[in-house]
Amino acid sequence: MSAKLNLDKLDLDIIHHMMENAEISYADLGKKLFVSGGTIHVRIKKLQEAKVVKGTKLSADLKLLGYDVIAFIGIYLKESSLYDAVAKELQKIPEIVRLNYTTGNYSMFAEIVCKDISQLRYVLHDQLQKIKGIERTETFISLEESFNRNVKVAS
Amino acid sequence: MSAKLNLDKLDLDIIHHMMENAEISYADLGKKLFVSGGTIHVRIKKLQEAKVVKGTKLSADLKLLGYDVIAFIGIYLKESSLYDAVAKELQKIPEIVRLNYTTGNYSMFAEIVCKDISQLRYVLHDQLQKIKGIERTETFISLEESFNRNVKVAS
DNA sequence: ATTGAAAGAGTCTCAGT
DNA sequence: ACTGAGACTCTTTCAAT
């Protein structure tokens, strides 16, 4: 499936550090990992070419931006063959930020980010229920996010 | 709750662009948004001071790193007062990358990233079931991630 | 608040090891 | 494969508007 990659401890340490903070300079990261800044640069270039790392993303505080509601939605489909068609419709709704096709109770599993409960209600009631193929949905509103972190890729 | 912020369209456009790609230079982003690179710099500094933006993170391809299994776990607690104690235990398991306290069927909702199914089985069976306070769990393994994006903060 | 230019810092290339 | 130094680019500061 996925190409064979030969990543050593240094590669993983670099990824691990920069998944948390990509603003550190190569020189400073090199000091932490006991190599030169040049070596960090060479490794990152290799990782980019191998498509293991794919750029950096700004991390923003959604609450401060006015997005106070995060919810998860379990979706039951009328037939599982409708997955692609429904996924396409869901992608048109900008509040739906993530969609997974899953095993278990639900056919698909979505995450939604809204400004407030009334916007959530609008998306759930007026947008989702109009999509052909969706049988019904179950919503789990997040009251608190305990943590949200990256998997620990390095020892 | 959250401090009053006065963000204009330019602020939101900057955040929107850089949530997707934080590597663009201020000069280039300025060209896109029809202001100078200096203005981009001033705005980003303001957004950092307001804690609206909190650094950048490297985006890595988990599949290429050998993490082939993403799953969601609905957790039933014996009593909802046990939430904090259980959250603390779950945080010790590095494969659990996210935990939310939710309304609805489940008391809490977790996301887990594993190398393979046998590692998932190990965490679910040997680690989760040993935590006092967890009544039972339901697991939804992601067979495919249709999309995973940021909420659209700008028009 | 925005701008442009100068100073400072970081990235990238490359020749040497 | 790693390093260090030079060339280059980007960020940061600041005086002017």
Side-chain angles (χ1 to χ4, degrees):
Chain A
M1 197 69 129
S2 53
K4 187 84 168 66
L5 287 174
N6 237 349
L7 303 183
D8 64 10
K9 185 176 180 334
L10 178 58
D11 294 317
L12 294 176
D13 281 341
I14 292 169
I15 294 169
H16 180 246
H17 269 88
M18 296 189 69
M19 282 203 322
E20 200 46 49
N21 170 23
E23 273 164 338
I24 190 170
S25 74
Y26 294 174
D28 287 348
L29 184 52
K31 270 175 209 159
K32 280 199 180 189
L33 301 177
F34 307 105
V35 292
S36 72
T39 297
I40 300 291
H41 177 249
V42 168
R43 294 304 189 101
I44 288 178
K45 217 175 126 187
K46 180 189 83 176
L47 292 167
Q48 284 167 339
E49 277 158 11
K51 312 269 186 183
V52 179
V53 304
K54 302 166 297 184
T56 66
K57 292 186 193 307
L58 189 73
S59 163
D61 186 318
L62 290 180
K63 276 227 175 78
L64 286 180
L65 287 171
Y67 291 89
D68 282 310
V69 179
I70 293 175
F72 305 97
I73 310 171
I75 299 171
Y76 295 90
L77 294 182
K78 284 170 186 150
E79 302 168 39
S80 55
S81 63
L82 296 167
Y83 179 79
D84 286 336
V86 171
K88 208 174 149 192
E89 291 304 309
L90 291 173
Q91 192 151 14
K92 291 180 192 163
I93 303 173
E95 288 84 4
I96 309 269
V97 296
R98 189 177 184 189
L99 182 67
N100 288 76
Y101 180 37
T102 49
T103 67
N105 267 348
Y106 312 109
S107 307
M108 55 214 295
F109 212 84
E111 180 182 341
I112 182 167
V113 176
C114 290
K115 298 214 174 225
D116 50 41
I117 293 288
S118 89
Q119 194 191 3
L120 176 65
R121 216 194 67 88
Y122 173 74
V123 174
L124 288 175
H125 187 264
D126 290 334
Q127 299 195 277
L128 284 199
Q129 299 301 347
K130 277 178 189 145
I131 295 175
K132 308 280 179 217
I134 292 183
E135 169 98 35
R136 65 189 186 87
T137 61
E138 274 175 29
T139 305
F140 311 97
I141 298 172
S142 171
L143 301 173
E144 188 189 320
E145 181 153 281
S146 301
F147 58 85
N148 188 352
R149 64 187 175 194
N150 291 117
V151 71
K152 196 180 167 201
V153 298
S155 49
Chain B
M1 194 67 136
S2 52
K4 187 82 168 66
L5 288 174
N6 236 347
L7 304 182
D8 65 10
K9 185 177 180 332
L10 178 58
D11 294 317
L12 294 176
D13 281 341
I14 292 169
I15 294 168
H16 180 246
H17 269 88
M18 294 190 69
M19 283 204 320
E20 199 48 47
N21 170 23
E23 275 165 337
I24 190 170
S25 75
Y26 294 175
D28 286 349
L29 184 53
K31 270 175 210 158
K32 279 200 182 191
L33 302 177
F34 307 105
V35 292
S36 74
T39 297
I40 301 291
H41 178 249
V42 168
R43 294 304 188 100
I44 288 178
K45 218 174 127 189
K46 181 189 82 177
L47 292 168
Q48 284 167 340
E49 278 157 11
K51 312 268 186 184
V52 178
V53 304
K54 301 166 298 184
T56 65
K57 292 186 193 308
L58 190 72
S59 162
D61 186 318
L62 291 179
K63 278 230 174 80
L64 286 179
L65 288 170
Y67 291 89
D68 281 313
V69 178
I70 294 174
F72 305 97
I73 309 172
I75 299 171
Y76 294 91
L77 295 180
K78 284 170 185 150
E79 303 168 38
S80 55
S81 63
L82 296 166
Y83 178 80
D84 285 336
V86 172
K88 209 175 148 191
E89 290 304 308
L90 290 173
Q91 191 152 15
K92 291 181 192 163
I93 303 173
E95 288 85 3
I96 310 268
V97 296
R98 190 177 184 189
L99 181 68
N100 288 77
Y101 181 37
T102 50
T103 66
N105 268 348
Y106 313 108
S107 306
M108 54 213 296
F109 212 84
E111 181 182 340
I112 182 167
V113 175
C114 291
K115 297 214 173 225
D116 49 41
I117 293 289
S118 90
Q119 194 191 2
L120 176 65
R121 216 194 68 89
Y122 173 75
V123 174
L124 288 175
H125 187 264
D126 290 334
Q127 300 196 277
L128 283 200
Q129 298 301 347
K130 276 177 189 146
I131 296 175
K132 307 279 179 219
I134 291 184
E135 168 98 36
R136 65 188 188 87
T137 61
E138 273 174 29
T139 306
F140 311 96
I141 299 172
S142 172
L143 301 173
E144 188 189 321
E145 182 153 280
S146 302
F147 57 86
N148 188 353
R149 64 187 175 193
N150 292 116
V151 70
K152 196 182 169 199
V153 298
S155 48

